[in-house]
Amino acid sequence: MDLDSKNIQKQYEGFISTPVLWKEDLLGLSQLQLNTITTTIFDGELSKNTRLGKRVESFVSHYLQQFNDITIVQENVQVQREKLTIGELDCLYCHHDTPTHLEIIYKFYLYDAAVGSTEIDHWIGPNRNDALTKKLQKLIQQQLPLLYREETRSILDAVDFKLDDIQQKVYFKAQLFVPYKSKKITFEKLNNECIAGFYIKKEELHHLHDCKFHIPSKLNWLIQPQTNINWLPFNNFEAATTEILSNKIAPLCWLKKPNGELQKFFIVWWS
């Protein structure tokens, strides 16, 4: 297995190990729940330029194919009106002969208690231009109702899916990050197992001066921190992140504590 293949395999394993964002139905959205299987070798085709979202969709496709009672019928189905694409169905498959429409989501959210008034409201994207509430609304108001649009009927007819028989599921996985040195927070609606690390403001970074650091590529945000890499000392890391933060980009980073403990964290440019 070459270096690129090993890296993709680690990304796939990172995706598999990421928990779903909630276990019980949330706002009427039902998570796909499958029996745990031994992690498999990912042998799908991916180019180096395949962005994270599409990469995750390929990982889900490979994962579903490991189940004997699941048959994938179509993926990434473009729904069009007069040659204009109005949406996409991520995956159509049969599970125990039940036709299913699946929407696939993988997100990174940070907890900011100052945003909104509910547990769901408090989760925002690293650069504050995304939010869990926004994504849930899009699922409920746009992505899932797309199945019932007139323009989708011919697609379903072509694969012999009867609209009244179709179940809709989401496969919503996420990595959650809480404020640095915050007291332990327990969430009632979301899966606490999704907490992957913390986030810190640039002016607090000096608290980590005795650690070593690594800034993974965005595709490697999926994977767990690795030990066999080139670690940056604090001063080099601080200099490297200054330029990134000046562009209002919050990078995901890895740190290695003096005792060897590894952690994931975001540095944020906002306060």
Side-chain angles (χ1 to χ4, degrees), residues 169-197:
K169 299 279 187 180
V170 299
Y171 201 29
F172 200 134
K173 292 191 164 200
Q175 295 184 35
L176 304 180
F177 296 79
V178 296
Y180 178 64
K181 285 192 173 179
S182 63
K183 295 181 180 178
K184 182 174 175 58
I185 309 170
T186 301
F187 305 105
E188 296 180 1
K189 294 184 178 180
L190 301 184
N191 185 0
N192 288 273
E193 296 172 5
C194 287
I195 298 174

Side-chain angles (χ1 to χ4, degrees), residues 8-135:
I8 290 171
Q9 180 63 25
K10 289 176 183 176
Q11 292 166 8
Y12 176 68
E13 292 170 3
F15 156 75
I16 291 292
S17 65
T18 304
V20 292
L21 187 52
W22 63 89
K23 295 182 178 179
E24 305 298 329
D25 285 9
L26 179 70
L27 302 177
L29 297 170
S30 178
Q31 283 272 17
L32 174 65
Q33 299 282 5
L34 296 172
N35 295 327
T36 303
I37 61 171
T38 304
T39 302
T40 58
I41 300 299
F42 178 79
D43 55 7
E45 293 293 327
L46 287 176
S47 73
K48 291 182 179 180
N49 298 324
T50 304
R51 61 182 178 83
L52 191 143
K54 286 297 180 184
R55 191 162 293 225
V56 165
E57 290 177 5
S58 295
F59 291 160
V60 172
S61 176
H62 176 80
Y63 184 62
L64 292 178
Q65 290 173 47
Q66 308 312 306
F67 295 86
N68 294 329
D69 52 5
I70 291 179
T71 303
I72 296 176
V73 177
Q74 275 193 301
E75 299 174 280
N76 308 123
V77 186
Q78 301 287 319
V79 180
Q80 296 185 325
R81 180 177 60 232
E82 297 177 354
K83 298 184 179 181
L84 177 68
T85 299
I86 61 173
E88 181 179 282
L89 306 175
D90 284 347
C91 186
L92 297 174
Y93 66 89
C94 285
H95 188 203
H96 293 303
D97 297 325
T98 300
T100 305
H101 166 219
L102 181 69
E103 285 297 315
I104 301 161
I105 309 98
Y106 195 107
K107 290 287 190 177
F108 301 82
Y109 290 123
L110 280 53
Y111 183 83
D112 187 347
V115 176
S117 58
T118 70
E119 177 184 317
I120 303 300
D121 293 340
H122 297 328
W123 294 101
I124 59 171
N127 297 313
R128 304 189 75 87
N129 56 2
D130 190 12
L132 175 56
T133 52
K134 183 178 178 181
K135 184 58 185 177

Side-chain angles (χ1 to χ4, degrees), residues 123-151:
W123 294 101
I124 59 171
N127 297 313
R128 304 189 75 87
N129 56 2
D130 190 12
L132 175 56
T133 52
K134 183 178 178 181
K135 184 58 185 177
L136 293 175
Q137 288 170 1
K138 184 177 180 181
L139 277 168
I140 293 168
Q141 298 173 7
Q142 299 178 38
Q143 291 175 272
L144 295 177
L146 183 65
L147 185 74
Y148 301 99
R149 294 283 295 264
E150 181 65 30
E151 294 85 353

Side-chain angles (χ1 to χ4, degrees), residues 239-256:
T241 55
T242 296
E243 182 177 357
I244 298 172
L245 294 169
S246 69
N247 292 318
K248 293 189 174 181
I249 297 173
L252 184 146
C253 309
W254 301 346
L255 69 79
K256 181 168 72 171

